[in-house]
Amino acid sequence: WASDQVLRYDGSTGAFIDIFIEAGSGGLDEPFDLAFGDDGKFYVNSFGTNQILRYDGASGEFIDVFVDVPTGGGRRLGAFEFSSGGSLIVRRFETKEALRYDGSTGVFIDDFVDAGSGGLDGPWDLVFGPDGNLHVTSDWNHQVLRYDGTTGDSIDVFASGEMHLPHGLTFGPWGNLYVSDSGNDRVLRFDGNTGEFL
């Protein structure tokens, strides 16, 4: 974030390899989230410019601005995730919703999760679970909410209790859900099927 770079490390040893994306490449400003797409390209949220930039997945060379959203009006882009259907889902913290874009062209499709749907308040991170549904941290009410992975409709409060200001989340190799409990400086584990605290 502070250096406006993306760094690369060895996946086995953690040893530093190189600066994969140089500071300011393609206008990169405050990189916030990143992911490889199914096309092998590398996508980075440039929080400072409110864009998602696309880079060559092997060389880190800038390709283009994939998603460009005018700033203002609470339209600040945050964490994003590619769906199995090829869409790009991006959370918007201020307006309490998640947007859907075409995963091939970057063209806006719709509000995938409507503002405040299911009690969503302060979405921070999102991830598709093994069940194909979208799980989203709801920062201000300290929950992880679940939404239909195809329609975006609210399903339920998947996990709650134990956490304060949940930020990051990921599913582990055995199917459990890990949540960074930022308000308490710890990582929590939940059953990936039931949401039960482990």
Side-chain angles (χ1 to χ4, degrees):
W1 180 291
S3 67
D4 295 327
Q5 300 170 328
V6 176
L7 309 180
R8 180 164 53 176
Y9 295 84
D10 186 287
S12 299
T13 67
F16 175 72
I17 298 174
D18 58 14
I19 297 173
F20 186 60
I21 298 175
E22 295 286 349
S25 174
L28 184 61
D29 183 16
E30 299 179 7
F32 183 86
D33 198 11
L34 41 79
F36 281 94
D38 290 339
D39 57 1
K41 303 297 191 298
F42 190 63
Y43 297 80
V44 182
N45 177 346
S46 178
F47 189 80
T49 60
N50 214 32
Q51 299 169 323
I52 293 178
L53 308 179
R54 181 164 53 176
Y55 299 86
D56 184 280
S59 68
E61 182 180 351
F62 175 69
I63 298 174
D64 58 15
V65 175
F66 189 66
V67 171
D68 187 8
V69 177
T71 56
R75 299 183 65 85
R76 185 66 71 177
L77 299 177
F80 64 90
E81 182 86 0
F82 285 94
S83 73
S84 59
S87 297
L88 176 66
I89 310 299
V90 187
R91 68 91 170 154
R92 256 179 17 194
F93 186 84
E94 297 91 339
T95 52
K96 307 174 185 179
E97 61 188 336
L99 308 179
R100 178 164 52 179
Y101 295 86
D102 186 289
S104 299
T105 66
V107 172
F108 175 74
I109 298 175
D110 58 15
D111 290 352
F112 185 64
V113 174
D114 292 328
S117 174
L120 186 61
D121 192 4
W124 192 265
D125 198 9
L126 43 80
V127 65
F128 284 92
D131 60 1
N133 293 315
L134 183 67
H135 298 69
V136 184
T137 57
S138 186
D139 214 36
W140 299 128
N141 51 23
H142 319 297
Q143 298 173 329
V144 175
L145 307 181
R146 181 166 53 173
Y147 299 88
D148 186 284
T150 302
T151 66
D153 293 335
S154 174
I155 297 176
D156 57 15
V157 174
F158 184 72
S160 63
E162 304 296 334
M163 67 184 85
H164 181 67
L165 301 178
H167 279 187
L169 73 168
T170 189
F171 282 89
W174 295 279
N176 292 320
L177 177 67
Y178 296 79
V179 181
S180 63
D181 182 17
S182 68
N184 294 306
D185 298 327
R186 57 189 184 175
V187 176
L188 308 179
R189 183 169 54 175
F190 296 85
D191 186 289
N193 294 313
T194 66
E196 179 184 359
F197 177 68
L198 299 176

